[in-house]
Amino acid sequence: MQNKIKKSYKFATKTSVYITLVLTVLITLFSLLNTTFNIWAILGFLTVSYAISFLIIQYRVERFIYKRVKKIYDDLTLLESASLRKQPITTDMATLTQEIDKFAKDKKLEIEALLIREEYRKEFLGNISHELKTPLFTVQGYILTLLDGAMNDENIREKYLERANKGVERLIYIVQDLDMITKLEVGDLSLNIEPFDIVEVVDSVFDLLEMKSAKKKITLTFDMDYPNPIMVKADKERIRQVLTNLVVNSIKYGRIKGTTEISIENLIKNKVIVRVTDNGEGIAKANFPRLFERFYRIDKSGSRKEGGSGLGLSIVKHIIEAHDEKIYIESELSVGSEFSFTLEKVK
């Protein structure tokens, strides 16, 4: 109860008591000296003087504090503090202190978030500049060489044009991935949700990447035979892309003569979990928080040689989250990695 009483009221009450006592003593002495002592007159004077003193002091204190507090609110309004503008102006110092403290903490968090975003923006621009610059300069180098006279040699002309074409294909690949991830982030990419057999999709991904895995003698396999279809409900082509990106990564960072294994398990009644496991070089836990960022590279030098747009895992995360599902990672250095994601199972 005491906490609900404004401190300004307490101040006015105590001050009024002091004033009333002083005035009462004075009027009592005055009455005694004039031998016309009247107890009812004294009590009436006490009550009236207390009430008047309380009202005057409370009004003055409220106005005194209100003017100064209003200036604080006005100054904070310039900083566009929506939280403070919603609150009525209070003259209670405890409440005001709490509001200002909350405002300061909120602003501190906003500043820290802005600093993180600024650092991310700088890193992102540096990464995308590098990713686009490398194939651009490569293509330009081949074209300039041809213009300088190499086009007269039929063998060199064909070889350099093929290399230039690969550079252009890489540029197109990066731009397409950027376009897709942008659409996923702003929710502009519609999903074609339909039932399909996830086992059949995994088989098609294995067939697609058979030659790529053969170059490193990596075996693509299921953890067991799946004689019956496992029907899930999702965007078939997007899930195919998720599996393709995950398997490509497992091949890219897998050891020679290694294994990439996919398993499909019932998680709960209406969910399955798809696991992509390899016995490659593994990922340090320190890299987990940033693993799904655009262009984030674990090995800044080695991974460049492996190619790719640097957007694969980021696209995977956005596609899975667009389905309102979850993606998980478990990894240990020199042991291997496991990426897994959930899907809705057709009942």
Side-chain angles (χ1 to χ4, degrees), residues 204-246:
S204 68
V205 171
F206 282 169
D207 291 341
L208 177 68
L209 299 175
E210 183 179 8
M211 293 183 63
K212 187 177 185 68
S213 63
K215 291 180 180 179
K216 294 181 72 171
K217 299 181 180 179
I218 290 176
T219 303
L220 304 180
T221 181
F222 281 106
D223 65 319
M224 57 179 282
D225 289 332
Y226 291 93
N228 299 318
I230 299 177
M231 302 301 292
V232 296
K233 192 176 181 181
D235 187 316
K236 184 176 181 179
E237 293 308 313
R238 298 303 173 202
I239 297 303
R240 191 194 307 274
Q241 185 175 11
V242 166
L243 287 166
T244 300
N245 286 351
L246 291 178

Side-chain angles (χ1 to χ4, degrees), residues 49-141:
S49 61
Y50 177 83
I52 294 174
S53 299
F54 177 84
L55 292 173
I56 292 174
I57 293 173
Q58 180 63 27
Y59 173 76
R60 292 298 300 163
V61 169
E62 289 280 357
R63 292 301 300 171
F64 177 80
I65 297 175
Y66 180 84
K67 288 181 180 179
R68 284 152 182 78
V69 171
K70 187 176 183 301
K71 187 177 185 305
I72 295 175
Y73 275 80
D74 291 340
D75 290 342
L76 291 177
T77 300
L78 295 175
L79 298 176
E80 297 184 352
S81 172
S83 59
L84 273 180
R85 286 202 301 269
K86 292 177 182 177
Q87 302 294 332
I89 296 176
T90 178
T91 55
D92 179 44
M93 289 297 103
T95 304
L96 180 62
T97 301
Q98 290 177 358
E99 289 183 3
I100 296 298
D101 185 57
K102 183 179 182 300
F103 168 77
K105 289 179 180 178
D106 290 344
K107 284 299 175 185
K108 182 180 179 182
L109 291 175
E110 286 181 20
I111 291 170
E112 290 175 352
L114 287 172
L115 290 174
I116 292 172
R117 289 179 184 178
E118 177 63 16
E119 187 64 28
Y120 174 77
R121 185 188 67 83
K122 290 179 181 178
E123 186 174 345
F124 172 73
L125 289 176
N127 283 330
I128 196 171
S129 173
H130 179 92
E131 297 294 339
L132 294 175
K133 180 175 65 177
T134 302
L136 275 174
F137 284 175
T138 300
V139 172
Q140 184 185 43

Side-chain angles (χ1 to χ4, degrees), residues 91-320:
T91 55
D92 179 44
M93 289 297 103
T95 304
L96 180 62
T97 301
Q98 290 177 358
E99 289 183 3
I100 296 298
D101 185 57
K102 183 179 182 300
F103 168 77
K105 289 179 180 178
D106 290 344
K107 284 299 175 185
K108 182 180 179 182
L109 291 175
E110 286 181 20
I111 291 170
E112 290 175 352
L114 287 172
L115 290 174
I116 292 172
R117 289 179 184 178
E118 177 63 16
E119 187 64 28
Y120 174 77
R121 185 188 67 83
K122 290 179 181 178
E123 186 174 345
F124 172 73
L125 289 176
N127 283 330
I128 196 171
S129 173
H130 179 92
E131 297 294 339
L132 294 175
K133 180 175 65 177
T134 302
L136 275 174
F137 284 175
T138 300
V139 172
Q140 184 185 43
Y142 289 135
I143 292 175
L144 288 175
T145 302
L146 290 171
L147 291 174
D148 285 342
M151 67 172 64
N152 297 324
D153 187 319
E154 185 176 344
N155 293 329
I156 293 178
R157 181 173 68 234
E158 185 176 352
K159 181 172 68 173
Y160 277 25
L161 284 174
E162 287 178 356
R163 291 179 179 178
N165 183 58
K166 288 182 179 180
V168 173
E169 286 178 352
R170 175 163 165 74
L171 281 171
I172 293 172
Y173 183 55
I174 293 172
V175 172
Q176 286 176 339
D177 279 357
L178 275 172
D179 180 59
M180 172 173 289
I181 200 170
T182 301
K183 288 180 179 178
L184 285 166
E185 286 180 346
V186 301
D188 195 31
L189 188 66
S190 59
L191 297 175
N192 180 28
I193 305 298
E194 60 180 336
F196 62 90
D197 180 12
I198 187 66
V199 177
E200 182 272 328
V201 172
V202 173
D203 273 327
S204 68
V205 171
F206 282 169
D207 291 341
L208 177 68
L209 299 175
E210 183 179 8
M211 293 183 63
K212 187 177 185 68
S213 63
K215 291 180 180 179
K216 294 181 72 171
K217 299 181 180 179
I218 290 176
T219 303
L220 304 180
T221 181
F222 281 106
D223 65 319
M224 57 179 282
D225 289 332
Y226 291 93
N228 299 318
I230 299 177
M231 302 301 292
V232 296
K233 192 176 181 181
D235 187 316
K236 184 176 181 179
E237 293 308 313
R238 298 303 173 202
I239 297 303
R240 191 194 307 274
Q241 185 175 11
V242 166
L243 287 166
T244 300
N245 286 351
L246 291 178
V247 174
V248 165
N249 265 10
S250 71
I251 296 171
K252 186 185 300 183
Y253 301 107
R255 63 183 63 180
I256 295 176
K257 297 182 180 180
T259 302
T260 294
E261 180 183 274
I262 292 184
S263 63
I264 307 163
E265 305 169 16
N266 288 320
L267 188 62
I268 54 178
K269 185 176 181 180
N270 64 330
K271 295 283 185 181
V272 297
I273 185 166
V274 182
R275 306 181 190 274
V276 180
T277 309
D278 65 62
N279 57 354
E281 59 191 53
I283 304 167
K285 285 184 169 54
N287 292 309
F288 284 11
R290 301 192 60 193
L291 199 58
F292 295 100
E293 289 182 12
R294 297 180 182 183
F295 297 116
Y296 182 70
R297 303 281 190 175
I298 296 171
D299 182 349
K300 302 297 182 183
S301 57
S303 61
R304 300 291 183 188
K305 295 184 291 184
E306 297 289 349
S309 68
L311 296 167
L313 286 180
S314 186
I315 289 174
V316 165
K317 179 175 181 288
H318 280 86
I319 290 176
I320 296 301

